[in-house]
Amino acid sequence: MVYDLVNLEKGLATIAEGDMGYRIPTEREDELGRVIKSVNTMAEQLQQKITQEREIENSKMELITGISHDLRTPLTSIIGYIELLQSASFRNEEEYQRFVQNAHSKAIHLKKMLDDLFEYTRLAWKEAQLHREIVDLTQMVNQLYFEFEPIAHELGITTVKNIIPTPIYTQVDSEKIARAIDNLLSNALRYSLTPSTIQIVMKQTETRIMIEIANEGMPLTKEQERRLFERFYKVDPSRHDHGMQSGTGLGLSIARSIVELHGGELHFTHLGKWFTFTIELPLLALEDTDGLEE
């Protein structure tokens, strides 16, 4: 017993000095043995907590670094174009208009990145308020497709639409769901091969509505696939060559948070060169839609 008490004393001293990986050896099954096991359990829990705190701290540093890098790039471009305009470093009216247009484009891009960051922060802290209303998802997806199709065509990408022709009603925050779908469409554009095809499909069951967005792209590694929904994570830029401005790496994370906030799910499947994101949302019961078409 004295031997084990001495080991307990030495073990507590070792743990107190910061060695949370140390465990006090014992084979006792009596009260002293239970005390030693409790100390070991305490040390293990403290070690886990310290590890979690370190991961949180690293995550904060990555967050700050990611934000600084992503916001600095368009801001530097805007400052550069404004300095050129201030010093009248343009040869003619055409070049002047090009500088103004480029600065405006970078400013819009910067605003979108800040909007993404603000939206992600609200969603991450569960501060987002849903303004639910009964919405025809068929009409919403058709409208988003109408805006999306010309951009895809300009990039040499074919679009295929297979959307249910009849109204599909559910109760959602229309602005947020539209943003989630738009984020997935933008992601499909950014990482599609050229030429290739992007497919938009709607399916329905008795209780769920599914919106699938599939595109053809370069295969992902298992590590890239695992990290796809991480905030600020961006896959290798060489996977796309459309000249689109880079995003914050928050688009997919925002889309998933919005869908889950609605009680739905966002799934991802990767088969060969095909990438499919599927939004699943609850469907309103038929009696809830009585009189909507009137």
Side-chain angles (χ1 to χ4, degrees):
M1 181 175 289
V2 171
Y3 174 80
D4 284 329
L5 283 171
V6 171
N7 278 341
L8 175 58
E9 180 189 11
K10 291 180 179 178
L12 285 169
T14 302
I15 294 171
E17 290 172 358
D19 186 0
M20 295 300 170
Y22 182 78
R23 300 293 178 265
I24 304 169
T26 184
E27 295 181 358
R28 303 183 69 97
E29 298 295 337
D30 57 6
E31 289 82 354
L32 180 57
R34 287 195 291 272
V35 169
I36 293 174
K37 289 177 182 177
S38 295
V39 171
N40 287 337
T41 301
M42 177 193 69
E44 184 174 353
Q45 292 174 345
L46 285 172
Q47 185 180 31
Q48 291 175 353
K49 187 173 182 180
I50 290 172
T51 300
Q52 290 174 353
E53 289 177 351
R54 285 174 179 168
E55 290 176 351
I56 291 172
E57 191 63 30
N58 290 336
S59 180
K60 288 180 181 178
M61 292 304 298
E62 290 177 2
L63 175 67
I64 294 171
T65 303
I67 293 172
S68 301
H69 178 270
D70 288 333
L71 298 184
R72 183 178 181 179
T73 302
L75 185 59
T76 300
S77 296
I78 292 170
I79 293 172
Y81 283 118
I82 291 176
E83 287 177 347
L84 288 174
L85 293 170
Q86 282 183 324
S87 61
S89 301
F90 48 88
R91 291 170 293 185
N92 49 44
E93 179 67 18
E94 181 181 349
E95 191 168 62
Y96 170 84
Q97 292 297 334
R98 182 164 61 85
F99 287 172
V100 171
Q101 180 59 41
N102 288 346
H104 180 262
S105 176
K106 295 292 183 181
I108 295 297
H109 180 51
L110 181 60
K111 180 181 182 301
K112 184 181 184 306
M113 295 174 75
L114 288 170
D115 288 344
D116 281 349
L117 181 61
F118 179 67
E119 183 70 14
Y120 175 79
T121 303
R122 292 175 62 199
L123 292 168
W125 288 96
K126 308 299 182 185
E127 294 179 356
Q129 298 295 320
L130 293 181
H131 302 287
R132 291 180 180 268
E133 56 184 335
I134 295 177
V135 174
D136 178 4
L137 278 180
T138 300
Q139 183 180 15
M140 176 188 289
V141 174
N142 271 316
Q143 178 62 35
L144 290 170
Y145 177 83
F146 178 77
E147 299 169 2
F148 166 79
E149 195 275 337
I151 302 173
H153 179 74
E154 186 177 335
L155 295 173
I157 298 171
T158 303
T159 57
V160 176
K161 180 180 69 167
N162 186 6
I163 297 176
I164 299 170
T166 56
I168 304 279
Y169 292 105
T170 191
Q171 198 169 36
V172 296
D173 185 318
S174 58
E175 182 179 339
K176 284 185 168 55
I177 287 297
R179 178 168 192 156
I181 297 172
D182 185 67
N183 283 358
L184 296 180
L185 290 172
S186 297
N187 184 77
L189 275 182
R190 182 170 282 111
Y191 295 108
S192 284
L193 298 171
T194 305
S196 65
T197 301
I198 293 178
Q199 298 178 354
I200 304 172
V201 179
M202 285 184 68
K203 299 177 182 178
Q204 180 185 354
T205 67
E206 292 183 357
T207 59
R208 311 285 277 182
I209 178 70
M210 282 81 73
I211 303 169
E212 294 182 357
I213 298 172
N215 70 287
E216 299 175 90
M218 294 178 62
L220 292 174
T221 65
K222 290 294 183 182
E223 174 68 9
Q224 289 172 330
E225 188 173 338
R226 183 184 65 83
R227 300 187 60 191
L228 205 56
F229 287 95
E230 287 184 13
R231 63 185 183 184
F232 297 107
Y233 179 69
K234 302 175 188 178
V235 296
D236 185 356
S238 65
R239 295 185 65 249
H240 61 91
D241 58 355
H242 305 314
M244 297 177 66
Q245 293 175 321
S246 63
T248 57
L250 290 173
L252 294 180
S253 182
I254 289 173
R256 170 172 277 183
S257 296
I258 288 174
V259 172
E260 290 178 349
L261 202 60
H262 283 81
E265 297 177 353
L266 176 57
H267 304 290
F268 170 70
T269 57
H270 172 213
L271 184 60
K273 64 179 182 178
W274 279 100
F275 306 87
T276 304
F277 291 90
T278 304
I279 294 175
E280 284 193 29
L281 293 170
L283 189 64
L284 279 181
L286 291 177
E287 57 267 21
D288 296 330
T289 64
D290 289 346
L292 286 176
E293 297 181 5
E294 300 176 6

